[in-house]
Amino acid sequence: MMAIQYIVGQLNSPIDLLFNFMQQFQDAKISIERLNEIHELEDEEPLGLRLATDLPFRKEIVLRNVCFRYQGSESQEVLSNIDLVIPEGKTTAIVGMSGSGKTTILKLLLRFYEPTKGRIQVGSDSLDQISHSFWRGKCGAVLQDSFIFSDTILKNIAVGDDYPDKKRVQNAIDIANLTDFIDDLPLGLNTKIGASGNGISQGQKQRILIARAFYKDPEYIFFDEATNSLDANNELVIMENLKDFFVGRTVVIVAHRLSTVKNADNIIVLHKGSIAEQGTHQELIGNNGRYLELVRNQLENIV
């Protein structure tokens, strides 16, 4: 029996190594296939294609009869006949039930997708005639799937900047209410955080993403549920800080918490991919429509 146990024990190690090798091989194969898919995609800006690298004098964003559906013969329209003007220097909020197309509008504005039909303009210029990299350089975005890199907090805020501007970093930290969190860390801004934000809470991750967006000092700001993981105190402080920063900037906020959008200059209510109504908070309350229904549902959930 001892001899058999010894032989079985000797076999365990190579068998484990073989199984681990097979698993790593499968993971590597999947990764290579995915890399090939990305490599074979057409470049966003093909060589020789001349795209604009400046913005027109008027910088409002206009959506004309925009429709969008994902690839696939049986996919339904996510957005249908969206006619919308996002005024320059104003705050526009987009609300609605889950799946109504709010996030899709932001991704169209950031040119992650292209409209199936219709046109998006910045002032008098078509958005598809503006350089992707130039346009995104003018935009600061906090999306639901934004990524925290395995690097220091400083590098996660000043992404791609080899020599971060200390004043801008501190300003972004103040706006995102990160000062106390960073001061409590032994290495401060040089504290390393892992991939996907390992070692920090969802609220801290979201505040770092907000600081990253404002470090860019963008002309256009896109928030997609940017404060949904924050506690009430942090959310209140950050929203107060943002009031001054939003002045003179074009802001689009997607949110389920109506408390974060009630002060917007214009609120768009989406329903099943179409605009159901729009107006200020008080106007929409008076309309007794879908916006009021959303407000009532939230109040009932709180109670």
Side-chain angles (χ1 to χ4, degrees), residues 287-299:
N287 287 346
N288 197 28
R290 294 195 177 276
Y291 182 79
L292 182 59
E293 183 181 342
L294 292 172
V295 173
R296 284 174 175 166
N297 289 341
Q298 289 203 7
L299 291 175

Side-chain angles (χ1 to χ4, degrees), residues 94-165:
I94 304 175
V95 300
M97 301 291 287
S98 295
S100 57
K102 304 185 297 296
T103 298
T104 304
I105 287 181
L106 285 194
K107 291 189 174 181
L108 286 171
L109 295 178
L110 287 166
R111 299 203 66 188
F112 293 161
Y113 305 135
E114 296 294 336
T116 308
K117 286 171 53 181
R119 187 178 185 185
I120 301 176
Q121 295 176 219
V122 179
S124 58
D125 293 356
S126 178
L127 185 58
D128 59 13
Q129 297 301 314
I130 299 174
S131 165
H132 292 73
S133 57
F134 171 78
W135 170 246
R136 290 174 189 151
K138 295 290 183 180
C139 301
V142 180
L143 304 178
Q144 295 182 40
D145 52 359
S146 293
F147 193 76
I148 292 291
F149 299 98
S150 181
D151 209 330
T152 64
I153 294 176
L154 177 61
K155 290 293 187 182
N156 268 285
I157 293 174
V159 174
D161 195 342
D162 293 332
Y163 303 99
D165 186 306

Side-chain angles (χ1 to χ4, degrees), residues 247-265:
V247 174
R249 303 174 197 270
T250 305
V251 182
V252 181
I253 300 176
V254 167
H256 278 114
R257 289 186 191 175
L258 301 182
S259 59
T260 64
V261 303
K262 66 180 181 180
N263 295 321
D265 298 294

Side-chain angles (χ1 to χ4, degrees), residues 10 12 69 99 101 132 137 146 152 162 166 170 200 231 248 298:
Q10 290 292 92
N12 277 342
R69 71 173 71 226
H132 292 73
S146 293
T152 64
D162 293 332
K166 292 182 179 179
Q170 188 58 51
I200 60 175
D231 59 83
Q298 289 203 7

Side-chain angles (χ1 to χ4, degrees), residues 220-276:
Y220 297 87
I221 299 169
F222 302 121
F223 275 3
D224 185 8
E225 301 291 354
T227 60
N228 65 338
S229 295
L230 300 179
D231 59 83
N233 291 334
N234 271 311
E235 183 181 25
L236 180 62
V237 171
I238 290 173
M239 293 309 295
E240 284 296 320
N241 293 341
L242 293 180
K243 285 181 181 178
D244 293 333
F245 194 85
F246 282 169
V247 174
R249 303 174 197 270
T250 305
V251 182
V252 181
I253 300 176
V254 167
H256 278 114
R257 289 186 191 175
L258 301 182
S259 59
T260 64
V261 303
K262 66 180 181 180
N263 295 321
D265 298 294
N266 191 33
I267 300 174
I268 312 297
V269 183
L270 286 184
H271 180 68
K272 294 183 179 179
S274 298
I275 296 176

Side-chain angles (χ1 to χ4, degrees), residues 272-284:
K272 294 183 179 179
S274 298
I275 296 176
E277 53 186 346
Q278 60 178 303
T280 64
H281 175 76
Q282 294 300 329
E283 290 171 350
L284 293 175

